Amino acid sequence: MAWINLTIAGIFEIIWAFAMKQSDGFTRPAPTAITLVAMIVSFALLSLSMKSLPLGTAYTIWTGIGAVGAFLVGIFVLGEQANAMRITAALLIVSGLVMMKLSAPA
């Protein structure tokens, strides 16, 4: 269950990052509210996952899901640049996440 909570927490991190971008510096009420709610859900689920997962593993996976997810949202939703160096960097993050998962205790 910890891994499921952690994955969902990472998805909510992507949501709050996107909503924060849409909030225009917290000047738009709806995206600001979505940002705050998604942050709370993300942190709560991260906290639950840390009951049984090591800190380093949980936090690294959580931030990695958020980083790569926000990168993909930026490209596919916001039309941000996708060049070879940025894609390679994202692939390196994903490879690190896989290594963290494989090295984590069961």
Side-chain angles (χ1 to χ4, degrees):
M1 191 67 186
W3 287 104
I4 293 169
N5 285 337
L6 186 58
T7 301
I8 296 169
I11 292 167
F12 272 92
E13 186 180 7
I14 299 164
I15 293 168
W16 71 250
F18 177 68
M20 187 185 309
K21 174 74 172 167
Q22 300 304 305
S23 77
D24 197 28
F26 299 118
T27 60
R28 298 178 57 216
T32 297
I34 292 168
T35 299
L36 296 174
V37 170
M39 281 179 167
I40 290 167
V41 171
S42 183
F43 281 111
L45 291 171
L46 173 62
S47 175
L48 287 175
S49 72
M50 285 183 172
K51 286 183 173 183
S52 59
L53 295 175
L55 166 68
T57 300
Y59 188 75
T60 301
I61 298 290
W62 179 70
T63 58
I65 291 170
V68 173
F71 168 71
L72 293 173
V73 168
I75 290 171
F76 293 111
V77 177
L78 301 176
E80 295 176 357
Q81 179 184 15
N83 60 39
M85 190 174 293
R86 293 184 82 213
I87 292 168
T88 301
L91 290 173
L92 288 169
I93 292 170
V94 170
S95 67
L97 297 178
V98 170
M99 290 174 67
M100 288 297 279
K101 168 67 170 109
L102 293 175
S103 70

